[in-house]
Amino acid sequence: MAGNGYATTSRKKILEYLMANSDRTVTVTDIDQYLKKHDNEVNITTIYRYLDKLAKEGTVMKYVAEKGSQAVYQYVEMGHHCEEHLHLKCVSCGCIIHLECAFMDEIAEHVLKDHGFTLQCKNSIIYGLCMECRKKQDRE
């Protein structure tokens, strides 16, 4: 089990929630509400500690957009190698798209060659609107 060590019911529930929502990022508040809804209240500090442990293990990615803003977390499938590619995040629904395409290598080469800057893929996010949210916005 990811996040090995002793496996409490709370830890199992947190990991269950993260896995069920692996297509988007979640906040500690989201996890806390899920646990409360399933009669498993946990101290918020415990949730943070477990998420930090999972992040160190590579089971979850931790994203912090700006200093002082709330961190969000995403479960990472084994072998997904999020540190090797960039990510797109929808500002409306929170979904994450992994940019695992060769074109991104061209962008990284361009940025290095023309701007003298090396991209750090781990925790790198480009913000925008996913296709579904863009369609929804166009209908409104």
Side-chain angles (χ1 to χ4, degrees), residues 25-28 61-64 70-74 89 125:
T25 58
V26 298
T27 65
V28 169
M61 291 295 293
K62 179 179 180 178
Y63 303 101
V64 181
Q70 185 178 26
V72 293
Y73 302 84
Q74 182 187 23
K89 181 178 180 187
I125 300 177

Side-chain angles (χ1 to χ4, degrees), residues 84-96:
E84 297 174 6
H85 59 259
L86 298 172
H87 304 86
L88 302 176
K89 181 178 180 187
C90 180
V91 296
S92 182
C93 71
C95 76
I96 294 280

Side-chain angles (χ1 to χ4, degrees), residues 5-66:
Y6 67 97
T8 64
T9 301
S10 301
R11 286 182 173 201
K12 288 178 186 177
K13 289 283 187 194
I14 291 169
L15 194 58
E16 174 185 285
Y17 180 78
L18 289 165
M19 292 172 79
N21 292 281
S22 64
D23 62 332
R24 65 185 187 91
T25 58
V26 298
T27 65
V28 169
T29 303
D30 295 330
I31 295 168
D32 186 46
Q33 290 173 351
Y34 170 80
L35 292 172
K36 286 177 182 172
K37 184 177 177 183
H38 290 87
D39 297 321
N40 195 347
E41 288 193 47
V42 176
N43 183 306
I44 211 92
T45 305
T46 302
I47 297 171
Y48 276 110
R49 283 190 190 134
Y50 186 51
L51 288 171
D52 284 343
K53 181 180 187 331
L54 292 175
K56 284 178 187 164
E57 293 173 356
T59 304
V60 300
M61 291 295 293
K62 179 179 180 178
Y63 303 101
V64 181
E66 298 174 13

Side-chain angles (χ1 to χ4, degrees), residues 4 12 24 32 34 44 69 75-76 90 120-122 127:
N4 52 12
K12 288 178 186 177
R24 65 185 187 91
D32 186 46
Y34 170 80
I44 211 92
S69 67
Y75 177 78
V76 179
C90 180
Q120 175 190 330
C121 292
K122 185 178 181 178
Y127 295 90

